[in-house]
Amino acid sequence: MYVKDNELEHNRLGITAGKKIGNSVVRHTFCRKIREIFRLNNNITVQGKDIVIVARSHAGSVSYDKLNRDYLKLLEDHKLKLNNEN
């Protein structure tokens, strides 16, 4: 995950998923999962950031729940998760 200020009042998401992840169906499924995770967790995220998710080679076979846990962990690591949420 890469993060940069965007000087806006909302977050923007970018996703990179290369061919090492799998065919186009696998890559698109991965991207849809990430977009949904971003959307559902946007209310607990610090606003005004550009967030870029870089998929690694095994990302296509990871479950939605694991992706969600990893995304929340990355938010904490980058200090983007609001403090009033668990």
Side-chain angles (χ1 to χ4, degrees):
M1 176 186 280
Y2 296 100
V3 178
K4 185 177 179 181
D5 292 332
N6 66 14
E7 300 179 5
L8 300 173
E9 295 180 8
H10 61 278
N11 292 335
R12 296 186 295 188
L13 176 67
I15 304 169
T16 62
K19 289 186 177 181
K20 289 183 180 180
I21 293 175
N23 63 24
S24 64
V25 174
V26 173
R27 291 192 309 269
H28 186 67
T29 301
F30 171 79
C31 290
R32 281 186 289 130
K33 288 177 185 177
I34 292 296
R35 279 194 299 269
E36 182 67 4
I37 289 168
F38 174 81
R39 184 184 71 81
L40 292 175
N41 292 301
N42 200 33
N43 62 336
I44 63 167
T45 306
V46 174
Q47 297 298 304
K49 306 289 183 185
D50 286 337
I51 300 172
V52 178
I53 304 293
V54 179
R56 300 295 180 206
S57 60
H58 68 283
S61 62
V62 178
S63 71
Y64 178 87
D65 292 331
K66 175 82 168 102
L67 285 174
N68 193 35
R69 285 193 307 269
D70 291 345
Y71 181 79
L72 292 174
K73 176 76 168 91
L74 286 170
L75 287 180
E76 290 175 4
D77 292 347
H78 288 276
K79 296 177 178 39
L80 296 177
K81 192 171 180 186
L82 295 175
N83 293 330
N84 59 357
E85 297 293 329
N86 291 333

